């Protein structure tokens, strides 16, 4: 017995006619008859008898037809699932993002994607870059800050996405508050408020100070951008955040471009998209990646 024989039998049982079943299945009459003979031989009992121009099921055939119809129903449901995924009519998209993209870039993209594909369920988890990389096998897409780490899971592809800049943050009444930029040497004279270990911002800032041969005092470590800004407001030191997080500040804080020498060239970094199953990405993940690339390429209004 094969699944094809049972599916054919289901159509013969419903139509009562071998030729009509063949038309529905796009099979010739001899092909349908051959499948019925093979199925009957496997069952060991007559399943149908000829009657006029059609067939009538025996008692054994009626019992087997019940199971054949269930199999046909399961095949139909499987095709519906396939078609839904192909058309992104339904499904789940699991996103993970480090703090900057999760807070300042993804909300608008998720909203647009939801508007286009409302039946897709999106799950977005955030954390620092190290935490997101650890979760990579459980995600469909990940958004991280800074250098792409080595040792990613097999079949992971990295896509450079956006450019970002890390700035120093001080209180408006700080001695550097009236400046538009500061060198690393100037910043190293003050206590620093740093993000937690594993943060992309912290890694970039520490690398910059190390390359300049400086070892400033870290007064406080905090998780999250808003925590750093609140600590700076409280007068605990100089903080470091993405320039994106300073777009809507009320004037109590000042952002300074960071330079290694006399001129502040900016502390730039790349935001990247990681696709952990790049060989066979989910259709929804491929469409979300396309949306992200299109948004990044669009001219700024």
């Amino acid at each position: 017995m094969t699944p094809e024989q049972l599916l054919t039998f289901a159509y013969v049982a419903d139509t009562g006619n071998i030729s009509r079943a063949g038309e529905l299945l796009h099979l010739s009459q001899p092909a349908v008859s051959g499948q019925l003979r093979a199925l009957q031989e496997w069952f060991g009992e007559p399943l149908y008898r000829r009657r006029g121009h059609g067939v009538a099921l025996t008692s054994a055939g009626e019992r087997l037809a019940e199971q054949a119809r269930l199999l046909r129903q399961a095949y139909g449901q499987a095709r519906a699932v396939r078609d839904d995924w192909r058309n992104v009519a339904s499904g789940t998209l699991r996103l993970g993002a480090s703090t900057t993209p999760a807070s300042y870039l993804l909300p608008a993209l998720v909203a647009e994607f939801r508007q286009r594909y409302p039946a897709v369920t999106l799950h977005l988890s955030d954390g620092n870059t190290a935490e997101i990389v650890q979760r990579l096998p459980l995600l469909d897409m990940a958004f991280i800050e800074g250098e792409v780490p080595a040792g990613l899971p097999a079949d992971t592809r990295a896509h450079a996405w956006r450019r970002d800049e890390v700035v120093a943050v001080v209180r408006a009444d700080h001695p550097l508050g009236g400046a538009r930029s500061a060198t690393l040497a100037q910043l190293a004279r003050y206590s620093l408020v740093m993000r937690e270990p594993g943060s992309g911002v912290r890694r970039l800032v520490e690398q910059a100070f190390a390359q300049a041969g400086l070892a400033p005092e870290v007064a406080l470590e905090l998780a999250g951008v808003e925590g750093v800004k609140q600590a700076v407001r409280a007068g605990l030191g100089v903080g470091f955040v993405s320039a994106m997080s300073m777009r809507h500040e009320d004037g109590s804080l000042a952002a300074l471009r960071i330079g290694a020498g006399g001129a502040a060239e900016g502390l730039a970094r790349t935001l990247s998209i990681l696709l952990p199953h790049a060989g066979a990405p989910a259709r929804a993940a491929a469409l979300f990646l396309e949306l992200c690339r299109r948004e990044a390429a669009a001219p700024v209004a």
Side-chain angles (χ1 to χ4, degrees), residues 5 44 57 73 109-110 112 126 131-132 135 143 232 245 300:
Q5 292 167 4
L57 300 186
Q73 181 180 5
L109 289 167
V110 167
E112 182 176 348
D126 62 357
E131 291 168 341
I132 296 303
R135 296 179 207 156
F143 301 79
V232 173
S245 70
V300 178

Side-chain angles (χ1 to χ4, degrees), residues 120-183:
V120 177
T121 301
L122 284 94
H123 297 284
L124 174 59
S125 61
D126 62 357
N128 62 43
T129 296
E131 291 168 341
I132 296 303
V133 170
Q134 288 177 351
R135 296 179 207 156
L136 204 52
L138 305 177
L139 300 173
D140 296 307
M141 294 179 71
F143 301 79
I144 63 168
E145 310 166 28
E147 296 179 2
V148 175
L152 295 176
D155 201 26
T156 299
R157 187 173 301 159
H159 302 269
W161 179 34
R162 297 282 296 262
R163 295 291 289 171
D164 185 31
E165 183 176 345
V166 173
V167 295
V169 182
V170 297
R171 274 178 33 158
D173 60 359
H174 188 276
L176 296 175
R180 301 183 63 181
S181 63
T183 66

Side-chain angles (χ1 to χ4, degrees), residues 100 104-105 162-165 242-247 271:
T100 297
Y104 308 108
L105 295 173
R162 297 282 296 262
R163 295 291 289 171
D164 185 31
E165 183 176 345
S242 164
M244 295 181 194
S245 70
M246 298 297 292
R247 289 174 178 169
L271 306 183

Side-chain angles (χ1 to χ4, degrees), residues 175-255:
L176 296 175
R180 301 183 63 181
S181 63
T183 66
L184 291 169
Q186 288 174 310
L187 297 172
R189 298 171 191 163
Y190 301 94
S191 297
L192 306 185
V193 177
M194 297 287 270
R195 287 283 305 278
E196 77 283 5
S199 158
V201 168
R202 177 169 183 159
R203 184 166 57 249
L204 182 64
V205 171
E206 288 181 335
Q207 288 174 351
F209 276 118
Q211 290 170 2
L214 299 169
E217 174 197 0
V218 177
L220 185 65
E221 293 181 352
L222 285 170
V225 174
E226 293 306 315
V228 169
K229 291 198 290 187
Q230 290 292 358
V232 173
R233 286 190 183 96
L236 294 175
V238 177
F240 299 90
V241 297
S242 164
M244 295 181 194
S245 70
M246 298 297 292
R247 289 174 178 169
H248 304 293
E249 278 300 319
D250 57 7
S252 63
L253 298 177

